[in-house]
Amino acid sequence: MSPSGGPDANVPQAIAGPSGFLDDRLGAGNFLKRNLRKVFPDHWSFLLGEIALYSFIILLLTGTFLTFFFKPSMEHVIYDGAYEPLKGVGMSAAYASSLEISFDVRGGLLMRQMHHWAALLFVAGMMVHMLRVFFTGAYRKPRELNWLIGVLLLTLALAEGLTGYSLPDDLLSGAGLRITEGVAISLPLVGTWITFFLFGGEYPGEDVISRFYSLHILLIPGILLALISAHMILMWVQKHTQMPGKGRTNNNVVGAPFYPAFMAKAGAYFMFTFGVIALLGTFAQINPIWIFGPYTPADISAGSQPDFYMGFLEGALRLMPSWEINFLGFTLPMSVLIPALVPMGIIMTGLAVYPFAERWITGDNREHHVVDRPRNNPHRTSIGISAITFYGVLWLLGANDEISWVFKVSLNWTTYIGRVLIFVAPVIAYIVTYRICLGLQRKDAAIIGHGVESGVIKRLPHGEYIEVHVPPSADIEAHMRGKEPVPVLTGADTEPGGIPPKGMRGPIGKLKARMSTAYGGEKIPLDDGHHDGHHDGHGDEHAAVGAGGDDKSITR
Amino acid sequence: MTDNKHDIEQPEERVPRRVIGTPAPAASTSLLGPDETPGELSVAGVDLQDEKTAKKGEKLAALCFTITFLAGIAFVVSYVVFQVGDLESTQTSTLALGGSLTLALLALASGLVVWVRMVMPKYKLIQERHAMASDRETRSYVGETFLQGAAESGITKRPLLRRTLLAAAAPLGLAPLVLLRDLGPSYTNFDEKLRHTVWGEKTKEGKPRRLVVEGSGAPIRAADFNSPGGILSVVPEGYEHDLNALAKATLILIKFRPDEIKSGTNVNWTHDGIVAYSKICTHVGCPAALYEQTTHHILCPCHQSTFDAADGAKVIFGPAARPLPQLPIAVDDEGYLVATADFAVPVGPSFWERGDAEAEVIEKGGQS
């Protein structure tokens, strides 16, 4: 029961002592026994989420520093700090203390800029991580819950960014706040209530900065921290997914052990993230609030842009044609409501329900630990690219004044084109992506079937020249052979006139069956390339591929 | 960690046969168990670096760590040496602090990567996965235990207990919501507040309120504001720094030649070709601050709603659905511009209770 006195192996006393002490009290040995050598699979794309994780830690560190100096108050003060041009100007205490952080605190500007850059990297990291998970199908059973936590994290990160963006109370952040108010007040029935309660009266009031402050530094980060911990624990318990490859199956995990290799790699990656953020915070100026001046609702500077993650909402607002409905003395400002709610609603709801919708359509209830290559589920990939295009058009249009300025095109035409593109571009993206996926699948089938071009030209006895093909390396072949057909509901492909199984008889059931056959199935079988019958062996026999006159591998 | 590096590594280097992950040390410690997953202990997945690479990696990593050490010192020195204050000194300080911090962090990261890639073995360990679901027996045991516990607690058998507990929780759950009431103001006639601006109030002396230039606060003599195409950003006298008032009452004042004014503009509310519109965009409330003289277009820089200033500021492009409200103005006995009344319709973004205020005004025989 008690191995007091520490382990007897060659573990140095300096380590054995304290660890023995802890184990006697916590029984941590059992946990470590299971987890010290926990295997983590390797792939560059698995690092994307880590960027977000480490950025969050850096946000906590730099943010804590900023709170030591920031005064979340809208009290009117006359600036008397180090920055000459604003001396004697009336402003809020929040803005004055933001200037103080920038000019009177050593390293304050660095911390402010690092905090802002880390925030951008946090959201960007989450987005690319989410795209990785989506396109490889890593959200599938058993990881749907972690996917939902991720969607929640992204939503909260946007709220966290919005509240933080407003705190310095400079002219630019005030413009963002004003738009937030204009959107909130447009909500039917509750709009005026929400805004008057948020601002403690009429806009801008004197409460919103301190309220956003407590949301920004306590409530939202608290929830983020809890959800991130849950996200990590689930990842740990469920073990990370892996890419298809040699020796990797759905029942194992192949990679490096947590201790010491993964631990060191993660530490290095944290330091890289930290270093890059420090680099950006040092050399890439961001949000120079002293140039903007204090907030007043009477002024704005042209070319005001939100942080990148709010750009799609900004673009949606710009894109929308004017439309307002008046009835029975009430007003529905559709030109605000639609852009504020619909794109966000489509994207977030779409993300949240996708794993469940896919399971419903494919009837696939198995656990998946080996992820898909994006090409191998062409409809999913096309839907994803289509959504990215939708988001991207909105995002670009959020900067249409800059586009019009830089490229010297008519501002109004950027909007007109955007109004068309927002519907057309996702469709085109879908079709193009689908074709590209099938093309890539064909390429894989060709490599499996014919091998790779070796660059060796061979002259046959009868004078014909061929290029010798060699089989792909075992790793690559295993990677490709990891492909499996997208599942289809059993019975969904019942012939017309046949009796469809239960659950596929009503209108919804028929739709489900039709979607299932369209979404699933094997589009391009991997071994298609073999049917030309010129070779039935393997190894060296592959070299003879192309002996037939019709083979494509003959060099030109 | 770095201090112990040599202590830990040296024995391994002398006894190359022993590999991290071999059962020998694990079996006899309390922390490293031997028997959890046999796969991971196989030497097969652990491919040791050859000593030459490891040696090179050791030197390279040590160099990186030394750079971090020096850059860390440079950071502290920079903090002491470089003071902040004006733009330039702040820039220097930021460059010194940020530069040394960046160097320290990136060198540390590089050192760790070199360590992992050149000194540590290459791993291809295999661990088994197990289905997430518990087995059937466990599930039924948990299910039974749950029901048994519920029965033991009496919550299923004694409805009185259950119902009173629910009843007890309800008001307690409401309490936090009740507490949120005072986030808002004491009044609830929000739309009344939104319908009025300070332009409707007379000054303390009972006179109509003057228009003053934003920034300087100077009143505007109509006779002086006489070059057509001129534009001013205007705020109400006495409220020059009241942000709540400015959020609704800020104006854009434009001087036209009389023949330029079109039918949309209420000429009774102008004075000698001077027209005053609300500067607060009717879309989401940004100040519509840009003006193009030749076309008379007012443009909101946020979402590019464009209004025709000569024609009652009606919307000609963009998402705004309503014209910028026009303020009735005149001159007082000293020749300064004043507001003769409040806006006829609410300014700024639309809200639920607003209704079609413009139509109501027209119904009453006016012109919005």
Side-chain angles (χ1 to χ4, degrees):
Chain A
M1 184 90 199
S2 76
S4 286
D8 50 345
N10 305 327
V11 181
Q13 186 55 35
I15 295 172
S19 59
F21 176 90
L22 285 177
D23 190 44
D24 288 350
R25 282 150 188 86
L26 304 173
N30 286 322
F31 175 79
L32 293 179
K33 176 179 145 192
R34 273 183 283 119
N35 288 303
L36 267 181
R37 296 292 266 187
K38 187 178 184 69
V39 168
F40 281 82
D42 252 344
H43 191 259
W44 64 267
S45 69
F46 299 166
L47 299 177
L48 300 172
E50 286 185 61
I51 297 177
L53 177 67
Y54 303 141
S55 299
F56 182 71
I57 297 170
I58 295 160
L59 281 169
L60 292 181
L61 294 174
T62 52
T64 306
F65 178 85
L66 295 177
T67 61
F68 294 153
F69 303 98
F70 180 70
K71 296 182 183 66
S73 154
M74 295 172 91
E75 186 195 347
H76 192 79
V77 298
I78 304 295
Y79 180 68
D80 187 30
Y83 184 62
E84 280 304 327
L86 286 175
K87 260 191 183 155
V89 174
M91 57 181 64
S92 68
Y95 183 56
S97 66
S98 303
L99 289 173
E100 190 200 321
I101 291 171
S102 307
F103 292 110
D104 299 71
V105 176
R106 279 174 283 175
L109 181 61
L110 179 66
M111 288 298 131
R112 246 198 63 223
Q113 301 205 124
M114 282 176 67
H115 191 71
H116 204 138
W117 274 116
L120 299 189
L121 219 57
F122 177 50
V123 183
M126 288 172 103
M127 286 175 169
V128 286
H129 169 61
M130 191 193 69
L131 292 177
R132 189 276 291 178
V133 172
F134 180 84
F135 283 118
T136 60
Y139 54 77
R140 288 173 297 175
K141 188 179 174 183
R143 296 183 177 77
E144 300 99 320
L145 297 178
N146 228 10
W147 170 258
L148 286 182
I149 292 176
V151 174
L152 214 55
L153 278 171
L154 184 62
T155 317
L156 280 169
L158 297 185
E160 178 71 349
L162 180 78
T163 49
Y165 184 80
S166 306
L167 291 182
D169 204 24
D170 58 278
L171 192 58
L172 184 61
S173 82
L177 196 58
R178 177 87 224 210
I179 296 171
T180 310
E181 187 255 2
V183 167
I185 207 170
S186 74
L187 295 171
L189 214 60
V190 292
T192 51
W193 286 79
I194 286 176
T195 43
F196 275 71
F197 272 66
L198 178 64
F199 292 92
E202 284 199 86
Y203 176 85
E206 296 197 329
D207 296 325
V208 69
I209 296 279
S210 50
R211 287 177 186 178
F212 271 19
Y213 185 66
S214 69
L215 293 178
H216 181 75
I217 72 153
L218 180 69
L219 187 64
I220 304 176
I223 303 173
L224 280 174
L225 192 59
L227 288 177
I228 289 173
S229 309
H231 203 70
M232 295 291 100
I233 290 170
L234 277 181
M235 183 272 291
W236 189 280
V237 169
Q238 294 175 334
K239 298 198 173 101
H240 206 284
T241 51
Q242 57 191 348
M243 277 284 168
K246 205 177 152 196
R248 299 179 194 159
T249 71
N250 217 22
N251 299 316
N252 72 9
V253 46
V254 180
F258 178 74
Y259 173 81
F262 185 79
M263 219 167 82
K265 280 196 241 181
Y269 200 46
F270 177 36
M271 288 302 139
F272 267 125
T273 312
F274 208 161
V276 167
I277 287 171
L279 186 79
L280 288 166
T282 309
F283 297 101
Q285 186 182 65
I286 190 164
N287 204 15
I289 51 163
W290 57 91
I291 294 175
F292 307 140
Y295 178 62
T296 156
D299 286 318
I300 191 159
S301 57
S304 297
Q305 287 288 320
D307 278 345
F308 88 91
Y309 46 81
M310 285 291 157
F312 79 108
L313 287 175
E314 179 79 359
L317 282 167
R318 293 180 181 200
L319 207 58
M320 184 71 193
S322 82
W323 181 21
E324 184 166 298
I325 297 172
N326 284 292
F327 66 100
L328 307 170
F330 295 111
T331 299
L332 278 174
M334 306 304 279
S335 51
V336 182
L337 286 174
I338 290 181
L341 301 178
V342 172
M344 183 93 163
I346 290 177
I347 292 168
M348 291 302 179
T349 318
L351 286 173
V353 302
Y354 199 87
F356 306 97
E358 186 181 63
R359 200 156 63 102
W360 186 68
I361 287 175
T362 58
D364 185 4
N365 206 25
R366 296 166 302 161
E367 283 191 14
H368 291 276
H369 302 291
V370 177
V371 296
D372 288 332
R373 298 169 76 206
R375 67 188 62 175
N376 290 339
N377 192 331
H379 278 293
R380 177 205 289 147
T381 304
S382 304
I383 288 169
I385 296 287
S386 194
I388 291 178
T389 311
F390 175 74
Y391 181 94
V393 170
L394 292 177
W395 187 74
L396 269 181
L397 261 287
N400 69 337
D401 48 348
E402 302 286 344
I403 291 173
S404 136
W405 173 253
V406 173
F407 296 104
K408 307 284 176 245
V409 291
S410 150
L411 178 73
N412 295 12
W413 273 101
T414 61
T415 308
Y416 294 135
I417 291 169
R419 284 174 186 170
V420 176
L421 279 184
I422 194 63
F423 295 107
V424 174
V427 178
I428 296 174
Y430 194 102
I431 296 166
V432 171
T433 310
Y434 191 76
R435 298 326 305 184
I436 290 176
C437 284
L438 293 196
L440 289 170
Q441 284 195 29
R442 277 195 195 98
K443 187 181 148 219
D444 287 354
I447 288 174
I448 296 291
H450 301 286
V452 258
E453 293 168 0
S454 63
V456 177
I457 309 294
K458 196 168 162 186
R459 191 179 169 193
L460 298 181
H462 60 274
E464 188 190 353
Y465 288 95
I466 59 158
E467 183 180 9
V468 178
H469 277 54
V470 293
S473 77
D475 273 342
I476 290 176
E477 180 165 359
H479 187 50
M480 288 174 175
R481 285 198 182 277
K483 175 187 185 186
E484 53 175 65
V486 181
V488 182
L489 281 170
T490 34
D493 48 357
T494 311
E495 297 291 316
I499 298 165
K502 245 186 184 168
M504 280 175 232
R505 287 178 195 162
I508 294 178
K510 276 180 190 153
L511 177 72
K512 181 178 173 181
R514 208 173 315 146
M515 282 163 80
S516 188
T517 44
Y519 188 88
E522 183 71 293
K523 313 289 180 200
I524 313 285
L526 256 192
D527 293 314
D528 233 16
H530 281 289
H531 65 62
D532 55 11
H534 274 294
H535 53 92
D536 31 41
H538 29 63
D540 289 342
E541 291 295 316
H542 269 284
V545 170
D550 60 339
D551 197 278
K552 283 188 194 124
S553 65
I554 293 172
T555 48
R556 273 165 278 165
Chain B
M1 198 172 171
T2 45
D3 293 342
N4 291 329
K5 194 176 138 213
H6 294 285
D7 301 345
I8 293 170
E9 279 185 357
Q10 290 298 352
E12 281 171 13
E13 284 162 10
R14 287 198 203 103
V15 194
R17 293 250 158 183
R18 173 101 74 63
V19 168
I20 296 174
T22 43
S28 49
T29 64
S30 63
L31 293 182
L32 304 168
D35 55 358
E36 170 64 3
T37 38
E40 75 175 52
L41 295 172
S42 99
V43 189
V46 182
D47 186 8
L48 279 187
Q49 299 283 0
D50 67 273
E51 183 53 28
K52 225 170 110 190
T53 318
K55 202 84 199 165
K56 213 166 121 195
E58 185 187 358
K59 281 183 189 154
L60 210 54
L63 176 69
C64 290
F65 295 152
T66 312
I67 293 173
T68 301
F69 172 76
L70 294 175
I73 292 175
F75 183 88
V76 178
V77 171
S78 307
Y79 189 86
V80 179
V81 169
F82 297 104
Q83 298 303 311
V84 289
D86 55 284
L87 261 182
E88 250 166 55
S89 61
T90 306
Q91 196 177 24
T92 315
S93 159
T94 305
L95 279 179
L97 289 173
S100 50
L101 182 64
T102 304
L103 187 63
L105 293 168
L106 290 183
L108 183 56
S110 310
L112 285 170
V113 168
V114 170
W115 186 354
V116 173
R117 295 188 74 95
M118 296 179 72
V119 181
M120 288 189 196
K122 301 243 176 291
Y123 292 99
K124 206 175 176 188
L125 297 181
I126 300 173
Q127 257 175 0
E128 286 187 17
R129 283 181 200 273
H130 308 282
M132 291 311 297
S134 338
D135 57 59
R136 194 178 290 273
E137 274 164 46
T138 312
R139 278 195 190 194
S140 60
Y141 172 80
V142 171
E144 280 160 24
T145 313
F146 176 77
L147 291 180
Q148 184 190 346
E152 284 168 4
S153 76
I155 196 153
T156 42
K157 218 162 59 183
R158 302 179 196 283
L160 184 64
L161 205 59
R162 202 166 61 224
R163 285 170 198 159
T164 48
L165 179 66
L166 281 178
L172 215 52
L174 271 177
L177 285 179
V178 171
L179 277 176
L180 290 181
R181 169 61 188 89
D182 281 352
L183 278 178
S186 53
Y187 56 85
T188 53
N189 55 338
F190 304 138
D191 65 311
E192 275 307 303
K193 295 277 170 192
L194 291 169
R195 279 174 210 281
H196 299 292
T197 72
V198 294
W199 291 115
E201 302 164 16
K202 301 259 190 249
T203 59
K204 275 176 214 147
E205 296 83 40
K207 291 182 186 160
R209 195 168 293 279
R210 278 181 180 165
L211 281 64
V212 299
V213 179
E214 189 206 345
S216 73
I220 304 151
R221 197 187 290 277
D224 294 343
F225 185 53
N226 56 8
S227 58
I231 176 177
L232 279 177
S233 185
V234 166
V235 296
E237 179 188 23
Y239 290 94
E240 293 87 347
H241 301 293
D242 184 331
L243 299 191
N244 279 14
L246 294 186
K248 287 189 300 185
T250 308
L251 302 177
I252 187 166
L253 195 69
I254 302 166
K255 167 78 179 178
F256 289 102
R257 283 199 313 272
D259 59 301
E260 288 173 328
I261 298 180
K262 295 183 196 155
S263 61
T265 312
N266 186 339
V267 282
N268 298 329
W269 292 354
T270 66
H271 175 81
D272 191 24
I274 301 174
V275 190
Y277 294 112
S278 165
K279 194 181 177 183
I280 308 304
C281 184
T282 54
H283 178 221
V284 285
C286 289
L290 303 179
Y291 183 64
E292 199 177 37
Q293 252 180 28
T294 48
T295 53
H296 308 136
H297 288 175
I298 301 172
L299 178 84
C300 176
C302 282
H303 307 103
Q304 287 111 34
S305 294
T306 311
F307 306 89
D308 185 354
D311 197 9
K314 73 168 188 202
V315 182
I316 51 176
F317 183 77
R322 289 178 292 100
L324 298 170
Q326 189 187 345
L327 185 76
I329 56 169
V331 288
D332 60 12
D333 36 15
E334 289 174 68
Y336 290 110
L337 289 174
V338 294
T340 56
D342 202 350
F343 291 102
V345 295
V347 301
S350 297
F351 50 94
W352 172 249
E353 298 92 337
R354 186 181 190 278
D356 196 351
E358 283 78 2
E360 285 168 37
V361 171
I362 291 168
E363 225 167 81
K364 285 178 196 155
Q367 191 179 6
S368 63

